[in-house]
Amino acid sequence: MHNDKWSERFTDVARLVASWSKDPSTQVGAVIVDTKRRVIGLGYNGFPRGVADTPERYADREQKYPRVVHAEANAILNAIGSVEGCTLYGWPLPPCAECAKLIIQAGITRVVSRHLGSGTTEKWHESWAVACDMFLEAGVEVELR
């Protein structure tokens, strides 16, 4: 059984990290924590290093979507070491199917996130359904708060 106090703390950290995103419409944060409760990776959604992240690009979905690196991917890429056996905390959305593939392949064994809200798109619900199927099949524990 996992300690709810620590889950709340790391979820709060993910919420803070989400606020660092320059995307005015969707700010997402992710924190990767090892089995000793050490933060080993942080990420928020944004453009790759060296790619201009101007307000105009974020306002234009055709410019934004192909350029954005999701928070979960950034947390994995920014990790200071292996994420094998770690927990990923995300805020405010659960991982999409693309990020679920990365999470599974990186060896993360637990994901803690929020339930999808009523305001999310059908496309997001479909992606989350695929992510859930993959997590279940790969043995990744999912905890929605």
Side-chain angles (χ1 to χ4, degrees), residues 11 14 18 26-30 45 70-73 88-101 103 110-121 123-135 140-145:
T11 299
T26 309
Q27 295 183 317
V28 179
N45 60 313
H70 288 187
E72 299 88 346
L88 183 141
Y89 295 86
W91 180 270
L93 298 167
C96 69
E98 289 299 311
C99 288
K101 292 187 287 190
I103 290 165
R110 182 171 173 249
V111 172
V112 178
S113 190
R114 292 183 60 197
H115 288 279
L116 275 177
S118 58
T120 52
T121 65
K123 181 180 176 185
W124 193 263
H125 282 275
E126 291 169 0
S127 184
W128 173 236
V130 172
C132 285
D133 286 345
M134 288 191 290
F135 286 146
V140 174
E141 179 186 345
V142 175
E143 179 184 328
L144 297 178
R145 309 179 129 270

Side-chain angles (χ1 to χ4, degrees), residues 39-119:
V39 173
I40 63 165
L42 299 172
Y44 55 88
N45 60 313
F47 293 169
R49 290 184 190 105
V51 175
D53 54 354
T54 63
E56 297 78 26
R57 279 187 167 169
Y58 279 113
D60 179 351
R61 289 176 183 229
E62 289 184 22
Q63 292 280 317
K64 178 173 85 169
Y65 287 150
R67 288 174 174 79
V68 168
V69 180
H70 288 187
E72 299 88 346
N74 270 326
I76 292 167
L77 292 167
N78 291 330
I80 59 171
S82 171
V83 297
E84 189 90 26
C86 290
T87 297
L88 183 141
Y89 295 86
W91 180 270
L93 298 167
C96 69
E98 289 299 311
C99 288
K101 292 187 287 190
L102 297 175
I103 290 165
I104 294 164
Q105 201 68 0
I108 292 170
T109 56
R110 182 171 173 249
V111 172
V112 178
S113 190
R114 292 183 60 197
H115 288 279
L116 275 177
S118 58

